[in-house]
């Protein structure tokens, strides 16, 4: 298994543009998590899914952020419109069961100019 | 979830044991202690977790005090590749899912 796959690995965009981050979790994992990491705020949980259903999106900063999981093998995190303060590394993680380890992807480094 | 306190940074000589402490004095009976680490420019990596008993796996050992108010992660023979930020996380297992709340962690630097 290739592990959690995220794309793109790096994204540079201009303020106001739409950004879509993609995640392919490890096959068989029934939980999927989106995190954001910045120097100021550290690693924050944005939203997580169980069996493709969003369970807790309380960490999503604003309505500009949305996440979907149309099937067990794919999830997206969309920012529309993007702002410079959205610049961060976004991680996708997956896991099986409610207490097992989470497997993180390599992250997407987003820069909004 | 209970708050954790970790030293900001630690140094360790290569080949020696690295002992990383974590205080979690407000931990509840149903909260587990988890350790993750993050090597620079990579995603966090699970290391180990435990409830009451000491745990050991191929990466590390976790020692939890009897009152469960503190724990120590032990890397028995630290290598340069163990240089990373280590996060101690205390969390309750929820039936509908399980969130990890990362603090600031300890920057461990393994020196040659």
């Amino acid at each position: 298994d290739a592990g959690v796959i995220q794309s793109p690995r790096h994204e540079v965009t201009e303020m106001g543009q739409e950004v879509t981050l993609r995640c392919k979790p490890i096959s068989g994992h029934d939980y999927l998590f989106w995190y954001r990491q910045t120097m100021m705020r550290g690693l924050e949980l944005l939203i997580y899914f169980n069996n493709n259903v969003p369970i807790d999106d309380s960490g999503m900063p604003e309505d500009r952020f949305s996440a979907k999981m149309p099937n067990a093998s794919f999830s997206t995190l969309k920012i529309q419109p993007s702002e410079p303060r959205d610049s961060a590394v976004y991680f996708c993680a997956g896991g099986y069961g409610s207490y097992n380890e989470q497997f993180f992807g390599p992250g997407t480094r987003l820069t909004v100019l | 979830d209970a708050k954790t306190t970790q030293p900001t940074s630690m140094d360790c000589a290569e080949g020696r044991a690295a002992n990383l402490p974590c205080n979690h004095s407000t931990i509840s009976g149903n909260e587990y202690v988890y350790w993750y680490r993050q090597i620079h420019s990579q995603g966090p990596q699970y290391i180990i977790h435990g409830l009451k008993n000491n745990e050991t796996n191929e990466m590390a050992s976790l020692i939890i005090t009897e009152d469960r108010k503190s724990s120590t992660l032990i890397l028995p023979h630290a290598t340069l590749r163990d240089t990373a930020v280590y996060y101690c996380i205390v969390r309750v297992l929820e039936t509908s899912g399980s969130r990890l709340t990362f603090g600031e962690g300890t920057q461990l630097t393994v020196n040659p």
Side-chain angles (χ1 to χ4, degrees), chain B residues 10-16 78-83 108-112:
Chain B
M10 294 182 64
D11 285 274
C12 176
E14 187 177 21
R16 305 298 293 267
T79 70
L80 300 180
R81 288 188 300 253
D82 292 321
T83 293
L108 174 69
T109 302
V110 181
N111 300 305

Side-chain angles (χ1 to χ4, degrees), chain B residues 70-92:
Chain B
S70 66
S71 60
T72 302
L73 178 74
I74 301 172
L75 308 178
H77 306 286
T79 70
L80 300 180
R81 288 188 300 253
D82 292 321
T83 293
V85 178
Y86 287 77
Y87 297 98
C88 170
I89 301 163
V90 172
R91 81 194 225 231
V92 122

Side-chain angles (χ1 to χ4, degrees), chain B residues 34-108:
Chain B
Y34 281 72
W35 284 84
Y36 279 73
R37 73 179 182 182
Q38 187 174 22
I39 296 170
H40 183 61
S41 297
Q42 296 182 21
Q45 177 190 24
Y46 167 84
I47 301 173
I48 199 167
H49 76 278
L51 181 63
K52 297 181 190 176
N53 301 321
N54 298 337
E55 303 287 344
T56 295
N57 63 20
E58 65 279 3
M59 289 183 68
S61 294
L62 173 61
I63 308 298
I64 303 174
T65 58
E66 192 169 342
D67 63 7
R68 303 209 324 122
K69 294 185 176 183
S70 66
S71 60
T72 302
L73 178 74
I74 301 172
L75 308 178
H77 306 286
T79 70
L80 300 180
R81 288 188 300 253
D82 292 321
T83 293
V85 178
Y86 287 77
Y87 297 98
C88 170
I89 301 163
V90 172
R91 81 194 225 231
V92 122
L93 302 181
E94 302 158 342
T95 55
S96 61
S98 186
R99 49 172 48 238
L100 288 173
T101 303
F102 288 82
E104 296 185 359
T106 296
Q107 171 66 59
L108 174 69

